[in-house]
Each structure stands twice: as structure tokens, then as C-alpha cells.
Amino acid sequence: MSHVRLLNVTKKFGDVSAVNSLNLEIGKGECFSMLGPSGCGKTTTLRMVAGFEDLSDGEIYVGDRLISSPKKNYYLPPERRNFGMVFQAFAIWPHLPVYENVAFPLRIRNLPAAEIEKRTKDALRSTNLLKVAADSPANLSGGGKQRVALARALAINPDVMLLDEPLSSLDPHLREEMRFEIKDLQRKYGFSIIYVTHDQSEAMALSDRILVMKAGVVQQVDTPLNVYNKPANKFVFSFIGLSNFLNIAWEDGRTFVSGENTLLPQSLMPPEDMRGSGALSLASRPSEIDFVSDDDGDGLRGVVSRKAFLGEFIDYQIKIGGQEVRVQKGRRALGPNLGETCCLRLLRPSWYAGE
Ligand SMILES: Nc1ncnc2c1ncn2[C@@H]1O[C@H](COP(=O)(O)OP(=O)(O)OP(=O)(O)O)[C@@H](O)[C@H]1O
Ligand SMILES: [Mg+2]
């Protein structure tokens, strides 16, 4: 069942279309992430859901309840939406003890004292903060401060948790740990999550579905696996994970690497509807390319222009005419050496029209 629903949600700042006719349904208990380049409208979307930003057009519902609609001149203020929020900046008050930081939103909601104490302690317990409840948050580590922000959001027992790069100020190790903690808390409390991050592996690890956005426009909404394996367009292919694009020319019924005389091997024919005159782009992932022997003539020939050992794997740059393809193989795989000619087989090639 859909829980949060955005219908044609649009936000304009002057001439800038920050969010353009966004339609979304987020399920109850779902973890939903938004990914996209800087400035594509992620924070603006989250702020509209939270109620900090009004809409230029469209409507937002929680269940059957309308919460924002400029046309109907209706707007439910943030404190009545029952959403927990954690934003990138910790936004905690260093002059108040940890306990009061967490209790604060409950106090402004005028809940009975016993209820405030119960919920605050529950949230502190869930985030492992009970023993530092009387301390100033200023003395806590980055992860500790982040926990205070999370505990405060949890204390209101939110229907939806809105998280805007909540872990970006933590070091990689802590980030990974906190990401599992957030997931555990979600299981325990059952809230839905709308998560904004620049970190793709974070989005992949946490999310049931991912939205990829570009310049305020949705490109794809899908499971992490599908966004990676079946990108809806070239932008999504290039934005998610590592990617290679080779420019290919179609001439007289044959395909060439652009600027080269070499024919593409038979195994690399573009799909029927793309054959014709004009430029094509052949997409592949560095991890989905094999080195093959030269004998069967079915590989893409190139020269190793760079070879770097990156710990778990070896990173190759292969020059094909004037273009380059990146290949990554496990550190134990036997590959060609710098300056050697090699043959590549693309395991999952994708084709896009244009360069
Ligand atoms: N208050 C504002 N006034 C004018 N323009 C704004 C305002 N807030 C955001 N914008 C513009 O709206 C667009 C979307 O901004 P937004 O902050 O939502 O992007 P974002 O996807 O969160 O980016 P980042 O990944 O850098 O956080 C940008 O072009 C931004 O400059
Ligand atoms: Mg942002």
C-alpha cells in the first residue's frame, strides 16, 4: 500500500525548475533513496515532503490524507506531519544535555511528562546513548552526535523518516556501521524512509527502491539491482557505478569503432532498430569485460595504456583507437601487461543512440 504519495510535484525558484512534475509512491515501511548529481532537486523534494518548502504545483498525501496542495491552498505544518528528520548538519544543541536534545520535539508537542520520559529513554536506549544522557553532545564523537540526531527523530515515533545525507560527515568505517543501525531501527520501529545520499553503495545497501533524478526530472525508479543492471537510459548507466562508452560509427551495414578502421566483432552487433547511419554509443561496465585470446577473432582489440594494482582488483586502461576502455579484474587474474596488445569481450554490452 502506498504511504507517501507525490502527484505532479513541482518546485520553481524563479526560472529554475528544481523539481519537475514528480510522481512517486512510497510504500509503508519501505526504504526509498534518491540519487542524482548535485543540484538535481533531492533536498528540495525532501523539504517539500517535510513541509519546509511549499510546492509550486502538485499535491502530497500521506495515506489518504492531503498534506500539501497549493491549488487547494492547503498546507499541514511540519510539526503536525509526524515525520522524523535528520539532515547533514547535526543540528543538535551543544548547550543542552543529550537527554534534552532528544526530548525537545516531544516537549514542543506538549506531551504528558511520563510519555516524554518513556519515549526519550526508549530512543536513547535504541541508539546506545542512555549512558551519556546527562552529557553535553559537544563531547561526543561524530557518530555519537549523529546518534543524538537519530534518537531525536525516533522519539516522535515517526511514520516517515526523512534523511538527507545523514552520514556524510562520518568516516567510512562509521558510515558503514551507522547504515546498518538505521536499517535495524527501521525494522524495530516500522517507519518508512526517504533517504538522500551521494553515496551509491549506501543507497544500494539500504534501499528497497532507488530514484535516479537529473535536473529535477525522474530518470528511473527501480530496485537497486535493476538500476544497476537495467539502466533506463544512458544517463542512469553513466551515473550508477563505473561505466565505459565507446563511440561507434555505422557505415554501409558495418560497425566501426569511431575514428578507427577496425570492424567490430560479430558478437557486438547493435540491436536491429539501431542499425542505420549515424553515431552509436556502446556501453559496458569495467567489471563485465573479459580478456580473451586473439585466436577466435571475436574480441575487441586494444593496447594496455595503464595498469594499476588497487588492492582487491587490477584496474586497466585499454586504448582502442583514440578511445579508452576501463577494465577491472580480480587481483589474482592473469591479465596483459602495460604496452601489450589484448582482446576484450564485453559480457553485457548496451547500446544507445548518439554519442
Ligand atoms: N532557496 C532556494 N532559492 C533558489 N534556488 C534554490 C533554492 N534551493 C534550491 N535551489 C536550486 O534548486 C535546485 C535544486 O537544489 P537542491 O538543493 O534540491 O539540489 P540537491 O539535489 O539536493 O543537490 P546536492 O546534492 O548538492 O545537495 C538547484 O539548482 C538549486 O540551486
Ligand atoms: Mg541536497
Side-chain angles (χ1 to χ4, degrees):
M1 197 192 94
S2 90
H3 187 209
V4 181
R5 220 159 18 114
L6 281 72
L7 296 177
N8 290 318
V9 167
T10 297
K11 179 71 190 182
K12 289 192 160 59
F13 293 107
D15 292 340
V16 177
S17 236
V19 177
N20 204 338
S21 210
L22 179 59
N23 287 291
L24 268 188
E25 295 198 6
I26 295 154
K28 189 143 186 64
E30 178 172 17
C31 181
F32 186 89
S33 290
M34 294 197 276
L35 282 176
S38 191
C40 75
K42 305 179 293 291
T43 297
T44 305
T45 303
L46 218 55
R47 286 173 56 80
M48 288 192 284
V49 174
F52 294 135
E53 199 81 69
D54 48 7
L55 284 56
S56 306
D57 200 4
E59 293 185 333
I60 303 180
Y61 289 84
V62 174
D64 293 332
R65 186 180 188 202
L66 180 69
I67 58 171
S68 281
S69 169
K71 274 209 181 82
K72 295 177 185 155
N73 202 12
Y74 185 77
Y75 167 80
L76 191 70
E79 64 276 12
R80 292 183 52 207
R81 295 189 178 198
N82 209 38
F83 293 170
M85 271 161 279
V86 180
F87 290 153
Q88 177 178 13
F90 297 129
I92 50 177
W93 297 289
H95 57 285
L96 290 178
V98 168
Y99 185 97
E100 282 308 316
N101 264 279
V102 175
F104 183 79
L106 305 175
R107 296 204 192 288
I108 55 171
R109 282 171 165 80
N110 279 323
L111 293 179
E115 180 72 16
I116 292 178
E117 185 178 340
K118 182 182 174 301
R119 288 209 204 174
T120 304
K121 283 195 170 155
D122 260 4
L124 289 171
R125 199 173 296 116
S126 297
T127 47
N128 256 332
L129 288 169
L130 214 43
K131 52 191 175 304
V132 294
D135 296 359
S136 158
N139 302 332
L140 297 177
S141 66
K145 291 193 181 92
Q146 205 68 70
R147 281 200 182 83
V148 176
L150 263 175
R152 187 170 52 201
L154 282 173
I156 64 164
N157 199 5
D159 298 319
V160 183
M161 192 69 103
L162 305 173
L163 304 170
D164 194 351
E165 312 216 15
L167 309 181
S168 55
S169 37
L170 304 181
D171 68 46
H173 184 71
L174 251 182
R175 285 180 82 126
E176 212 166 301
E177 199 179 300
M178 288 292 291
R179 144 193 331 166
F180 292 116
E181 287 179 23
I182 289 176
K183 204 69 189 165
D184 286 345
L185 290 170
Q186 185 192 22
R187 263 180 228 120
K188 181 174 167 198
Y189 285 80
F191 46 78
S192 316
I193 296 180
I194 308 182
Y195 198 91
V196 169
T197 178
H198 269 114
D199 184 330
Q200 294 184 10
S201 51
E202 204 164 284
M204 298 271 173
L206 278 171
S207 318
D208 298 305
R209 284 186 306 155
I210 292 177
L211 158 78
V212 183
M213 201 158 155
K214 177 190 172 192
V217 179
V218 172
Q219 306 293 305
Q220 185 167 4
V221 179
D222 220 323
T223 60
L225 202 64
N226 280 347
V227 164
Y228 188 82
N229 281 340
K230 297 177 188 160
N233 56 37
K234 191 176 172 184
F235 172 80
V236 178
F237 198 115
S238 68
F239 188 74
I240 303 290
L242 296 175
S243 52
N244 290 307
F245 295 100
L246 267 180
N247 296 326
I248 303 294
W250 174 274
E251 276 173 41
D252 303 329
R254 296 184 301 178
T255 40
F256 299 84
V257 176
S258 294
E260 274 271 287
N261 290 327
T262 14
L263 275 173
L264 277 194
Q266 271 305 314
S267 57
L268 277 179
M269 277 302 268
E272 206 126 346
D273 58 340
M274 285 193 188
R275 295 176 198 170
S277 58
L280 295 170
S281 185
L282 172 57
S284 59
R285 304 258 184 225
S287 60
E288 295 179 330
I289 300 176
D290 277 349
F291 291 113
V292 291
S293 93
D294 201 6
D295 303 340
D296 58 6
D298 210 29
L300 195 58
R301 189 183 281 269
V303 176
V304 181
S305 59
R306 198 186 70 203
K307 181 176 181 179
F309 177 61
L310 299 183
E312 274 308 299
F313 51 84
I314 300 174
D315 192 77
Y316 298 87
Q317 197 85 39
I318 311 296
K319 210 166 171 106
I320 300 176
Q323 303 184 59
E324 302 225 291
V325 168
R326 194 169 172 185
V327 179
Q328 290 188 337
K329 301 304 296 172
R331 69 197 148 102
R332 296 189 198 281
L334 217 54
N337 291 316
L338 194 65
E340 279 181 8
T341 298
C342 59
C343 277
L344 308 180
R345 177 175 295 146
L346 312 189
L347 304 178
R348 296 162 67 104
S350 296
W351 291 89
Y352 297 99
E355 288 200 344

